[in-house]
Amino acid sequence: MTPDVLLVIFAALLGLLVGSFSNVLIWRLPRGESIAFPPSHCPNCDHRLGVPDLVPVLSWVSLGGKCRYCRAPIKARYPVVELLTGLGYGVIAALFPPLVVGWGALGLMVLFTILLVGSAIDLDTYTIPDELTLPGTALGILFGFLNGRAGAEGLPDLAGAVQGALLGAGLVVAINQFGSWVLRRFRERSFPEAPIGYQQISLALLAGAWLGPWWGLGAALLSAAVNVMARRVVRVPELLTLGGLLVSVVLGSAGYGPGMILMVQGALAAAGATSLVAGVYWWLKYRGQSADEGADEPADASAMGFGDVKLAAVIGAFLGWERLLLTLVVAVFAGALFGVAQLAMKRENRVKFGPFLAVGALVALIWGTQIIEGYRGSLGL
């Protein structure tokens, strides 16, 4: 066998092992438990699991899907996650040979695990843990640095990873901001966050459009500092920020300011940077608490969860902004089809957007280059 084939087989076996650990993350992260201690144990009887109980897929099959010690059923999801991870790692190694792209292949495997674990948790709890997305964004930027050093073709370098993360978070949070504003019938938020939250993100959108991403982030941080010094929320009206952004885009299209495209890019990048700063702040403040303990007030109407914003940052960091845009198009299309199917079957649609983002990212990862090149060709670019 050739070295490339051996690496694919090794990657698939590695995926099976990582899939077993992914099941630990899926169970423990939403519960705020340590992922290292105590060692693996049955969630029903708490008996510590031995090596024969932890062989990916084979242990579940040999035990008939039941705990060796208390005979409680073991969810079929455990071997499914292991098999999917093994398959995913093998496909990544085949499409992005480690001998060619170097660390980039490992980075894409990390992304696959984040997407799978995040989707499984989202389906269970309707949340995507910060412990997964915020470090995941940092890892995506780190692998971007390694990609640049190795000259990995088709994968973002450091600048591309940072740009992808900021635009990913910014685009999704902008959709959320305007969607939520419409859901509230253009009324102001009843419960603005202190000292930093959605109001500062809206301010970053407006300031970033005219001044660029880093000045936009600076304006948001200045607003947060005013809140800290005032010891209360000093409101930044959304009629001014979101309404002002709409006016700004119209002016940009008419030739005023930096121009519409640069204004949109600056607004989204500034909002993305502010979102990540806010995400880190709230993660550190409420780490170890449940969602109910961390919420001081009822939530305003929201178009989507903030976990989706941070997951989009992860995808953008690992795949770059072009594949991120393709990810969002596929996710929206898949989500719409699923919603129509649910309505046709008269079922309530409560599936969050995270799994659709994961599906979109996988499509962008596997077929992204061909789709993007085909689209450019149709435009004559």
Side-chain angles (χ1 to χ4, degrees), residues 315 319 322-332 356-357 360-361 364:
I315 296 169
L319 299 184
E322 288 185 311
R323 281 194 173 105
L324 168 75
L325 292 180
L326 178 59
T327 294
L328 291 175
V329 170
V330 173
V332 170
F356 296 114
L357 278 175

Side-chain angles (χ1 to χ4, degrees), residues 100-159:
V100 176
V101 301
W103 289 101
L106 179 60
L108 295 177
M109 293 173 190
V110 171
L111 172 63
F112 183 90
T113 296
I114 292 173
L115 294 174
L116 183 57
V117 172
S119 297
I121 293 175
D122 204 6
L123 289 171
D124 278 349
T125 67
Y126 300 97
T127 61
I128 304 176
D130 289 339
E131 291 82 358
L132 198 64
T133 53
L134 292 174
T137 302
L139 283 173
I141 294 173
L142 172 62
F143 277 106
F145 170 76
L146 296 175
N147 291 339
R149 293 286 298 271
E153 186 177 350
L155 297 176
D157 58 9
L158 177 60

